Amino acid sequence: MLNYVDTQLTAKTSSVLKQRYAVTYGKCDLFFLINALFRTNFRTFARKKNTHILHDMEYMSQEGYDKLVAELHQLEAVERPKASAAIAEARDKGDLSENSEYDAAKEHQAMVEIKITQLKATIGAAKIIDTSKLNAGTVQILSRVELRNPKNNATMAYTIVSETEANLREGKISVKTPIAQGLLGRKMGETVDIKVPQGTIQLEILNISFEE
């Protein structure tokens, strides 16, 4: 889930930076390269868009927002210090040029920092929705939709949530999925044709509600 980083790490930029820093420092470790790539592309992005926000506004529930904040706190208060301590411990074991434990610790630290940056961007772009003010007349984000497949009479229920809150085991599907996109704006009683990778399925909307 490194969308905004992945899309910015172009092959050309990566090649240029690898050459630049490899010449200067000899061996460019992963953490240094990732940060150099991120800083370079962030500055380019900010100049072009005149903004510091990497994410589009993301609508979510209070519960989903609170989970992100808790995850960020865990990373900053626990995982970041642990990563730094692991690097220090590995460094004390001697020659860094052949120290796989040190390299692994640095890579883990890089991943922690990327996750922290991503979470901060998502939280900064979040807009919490008050479901008590939403109309259950049509399907929208945070709607719980009860469905029936007329072909086999199978029933199912999904809650349409932001991409960060999606969890199929809990019956929560991303608003960006084909099923969610096909249901948005529809009303109870309607039968909808939804295009999925396997073809087209029909789903009848039995009920629309919002979880408290």
Side-chain angles (χ1 to χ4, degrees):
M1 196 170 150
L2 304 176
N3 295 340
Y4 75 93
V5 174
D6 290 342
T7 56
Q8 297 299 316
L9 302 187
T10 63
K12 182 177 179 181
T13 303
S14 176
S15 177
V16 170
L17 283 169
K18 281 179 180 177
Q19 292 174 10
R20 180 187 307 168
Y21 293 116
V23 169
T24 305
Y25 295 95
K27 182 180 180 182
C28 176
D29 65 56
L30 178 64
F31 178 70
F32 183 85
L33 179 59
I34 287 175
N35 278 277
L37 286 166
F38 177 73
R39 288 196 301 271
T40 299
N41 285 280
F42 177 81
R43 287 194 296 268
T44 301
F45 180 90
R47 284 198 299 271
K48 288 182 178 179
K49 300 297 184 180
N50 193 30
T51 180
H52 295 292
I53 298 177
L54 293 172
H55 285 216
D56 293 330
M57 184 175 290
E58 189 160 359
Y59 296 92
M60 64 181 65
S61 65
Q62 182 68 57
E63 179 187 7
Y65 180 85
D66 291 342
K67 285 182 178 179
L68 292 180
V69 171
E71 184 179 357
L72 177 60
H73 176 73
Q74 172 72 14
L75 287 168
E76 290 185 319
V78 179
E79 297 304 325
R80 176 184 274 168
K82 282 174 61 177
S84 297
I87 290 173
E89 182 179 347
R91 187 186 291 116
D92 290 339
K93 294 184 178 180
D95 186 3
L96 300 183
S97 63
E98 297 183 2
N99 190 333
S100 60
E101 187 176 336
Y102 176 78
D103 291 339
K106 291 286 283 184
E107 290 179 13
H108 176 66
Q109 184 188 53
M111 294 302 104
V112 169
E113 292 303 324
I114 287 175
K115 184 63 176 176
I116 288 173
T117 300
Q118 185 180 24
L119 280 172
K120 284 183 175 180
T122 301
I123 290 169
K127 183 173 179 61
I128 300 170
I129 297 176
D130 182 356
T131 56
S132 66
K133 297 180 180 180
L134 296 179
N135 184 351
T138 59
V139 178
Q140 52 196 299
I141 190 166
L142 299 189
S143 292
R144 184 179 186 276
V145 189
E146 296 174 36
L147 305 163
R148 183 179 71 87
N149 185 331
K151 187 175 181 179
N152 56 20
N153 211 36
T155 59
M156 63 211 78
Y158 296 117
T159 299
I160 300 174
V161 297
S162 66
E163 196 168 16
T164 57
E165 295 181 83
N167 186 328
L168 193 56
R169 290 182 179 180
E170 297 178 1
K172 297 178 180 180
I173 61 172
S174 167
V175 68
K176 296 181 180 180
T177 60
I179 291 179
Q181 288 292 307
L183 293 172
L184 290 174
R186 299 292 187 152
K187 299 179 180 180
M188 187 172 66
E190 286 191 67
T191 298
V192 184
D193 291 326
I194 298 177
K195 292 182 179 180
V196 295
Q198 294 77 17
T200 301
I201 59 172
Q202 275 195 338
L203 293 175
E204 179 188 359
I205 301 175
L206 301 177
N207 189 48
I208 304 168
S209 61
F210 293 100
E211 295 180 348
E212 295 293 333

